[in-house]
Structure formats: C-alpha cells, structure tokens
C-alpha cells in the first residue's frame, strides 16, 4: 500500500538546477505532481516547475493561500493578486506530498505579520493583511481581501478599508 505522506521526496539534481535557486538557497521539501510539474519549497519561496515551460518563483509572502484537498490529492496555491485581475492559481494533483504541505503551511503562516478584519455592512467586509518574507525583516506589503459581494469601488468601502489600513499600520508602529 502506497503511503501518500511519506516524509521525504528526493528532488533530482537536474530539477533543482532548472529551478534557478539563488546562491545559498537550498531545497527544504519538494514533490512531483501527476502531470510532471515539480514543486520545490525553500526558505524563501515556492518554485513551481511545470513539465513544459518556465519555472514560477512565488515568494512565501506572495502566497495568499494554499488549499489541500486530501480526497482528490489536489493542492491549489493562490497568489496575492491585483484588484480587478484574476489571482494566479497553481493546481496540481500530488500522490506523494512528503514534507511539502507542512513547509507550505509553516512558511505562508510565518509571512503574515498582521491580519485585521474591517466590517463594512452587516457581516460583510474585508481583511487588511500585512505580509513580509518570513525569515527576515524587510518591507511589509499590504493587501486587502474583500468578501464576496463587497464592492471595492464603493467610496464607503474604500474609506473603511483605508481606516482599517491606518489602524493596522499604527498597531505595528508604522
């Protein structure tokens, strides 16, 4: 019987070379998807290496969320996006995730410095999210995550969002 959660998956040397890792950067976890896509996690980023095409480097602070569907063995990684544009998503089916899922969870969680809920009307609103690279200090990036049905073009919504951003920045002493 196959163990989908065996602790390690060996990443071939040629795959690591094609990931174009930065000097001193090393693979902490990796796995191959059913379609031949490799996913490599380092301290700094998730690198997606499609079977055909160029590698995509996603710094951990740019991962909005990563959802694992255990029954379908599917990982969906959604990047932080820009308003009005679809968020980039990477969908892969993985039979042996090894340590990659644990690494993704830990690194993405570590990149979130602060998350503040702002209510606009009733239960609907948005989150103000501060992120930065999880392993070192550095610039904080800010993003809004709007609930479904909340219109960011509405002046009242934007006023609430800006007020939430200001409060979050003050909370961090910025």
């Amino acid at each position: 019987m196959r163990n989908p959660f065996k602790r390690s998956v060996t990443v071939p040397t040629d795959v690591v070379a094609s990931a174009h890792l930065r000097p001193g950067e090393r693979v902490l976890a990796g796995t191959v998807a059913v379609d031949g896509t490799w996913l490599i996690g380092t301290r700094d980023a998730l690198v997606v290496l499609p079977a055909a095409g160029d590698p995509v480097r996603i710094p951990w602070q740019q991962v909005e969320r990563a959802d694992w569907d255990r029954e379908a063995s599917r990982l969906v990684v959604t990047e932080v996006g820009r308003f009005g544009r679809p968020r980039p998503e990477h969908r892969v089916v993985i039979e042996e995730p090894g340590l990659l899922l644990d690494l993704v969870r830990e690194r993405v969680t570590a990149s979130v410095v602060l998350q503040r809920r702002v209510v606009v009307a009733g239960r609907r609103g948005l989150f103000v999210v501060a992120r930065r690279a999880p392993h070192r200090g550095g610039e904080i990036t800010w993003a809004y995550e709007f609930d479904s049905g909340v219109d960011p073009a509405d002046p009242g919504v934007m006023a609430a969002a800006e007020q939430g951003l200001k409060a979050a920045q003050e909370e961090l002493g910025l």
Side-chain angles (χ1 to χ4, degrees):
M1 184 169 136
R2 180 180 60 80
N3 178 5
F5 294 97
K6 75 179 188 179
R7 297 311 291 168
S8 66
V9 174
T10 302
V11 181
T13 306
D14 63 321
V15 172
V16 174
S18 68
H20 306 293
L21 300 181
R22 295 181 175 158
E25 191 173 20
R26 64 184 185 91
V27 175
L28 299 178
T31 194
V32 65
V34 171
D35 69 358
T37 297
W38 275 91
L39 292 102
I40 296 175
T42 72
R43 183 179 70 164
D44 300 329
L46 176 67
V47 182
V48 180
L49 298 121
D54 296 326
V56 177
R57 182 183 180 84
I58 311 165
W60 293 116
Q61 66 272 19
Q62 292 301 312
V63 175
E64 181 177 310
R65 75 177 181 271
D67 298 314
W68 172 248
D69 180 339
R70 186 178 195 142
E71 288 181 23
S73 298
R74 182 176 34 248
L75 177 65
V76 179
V77 176
T78 306
E79 294 183 47
V80 172
R82 294 191 174 272
F83 174 69
R85 296 189 180 163
R87 289 189 175 104
E89 275 191 352
H90 308 274
R91 295 174 171 269
V92 291
V93 175
I94 302 169
E95 291 182 351
E96 295 181 13
L99 296 173
L100 186 73
L101 298 178
D102 291 336
L103 180 68
V104 168
R105 182 180 308 110
E106 186 273 327
R107 296 278 81 193
V108 171
T109 300
S111 75
V112 177
V113 176
L114 180 136
Q115 187 169 332
R116 175 181 288 274
R117 179 79 176 152
V118 177
V119 176
V120 175
R123 293 184 180 176
R124 290 204 252 179
L126 60 112
F127 284 99
V128 175
V129 184
R131 298 175 189 266
R132 80 166 138 220
H135 71 279
R136 61 178 187 250
E139 184 178 334
I140 292 176
T141 58
W142 297 91
Y144 298 118
E145 294 177 11
F146 297 93
D147 291 348
S148 179
V150 173
D151 181 6
D154 179 319
V157 170
M158 280 317 299
E162 289 171 11
Q163 186 176 14
L165 174 62
K166 183 178 178 184
Q169 289 171 328
E170 287 174 1
E171 187 173 328
L172 294 177
L174 303 175

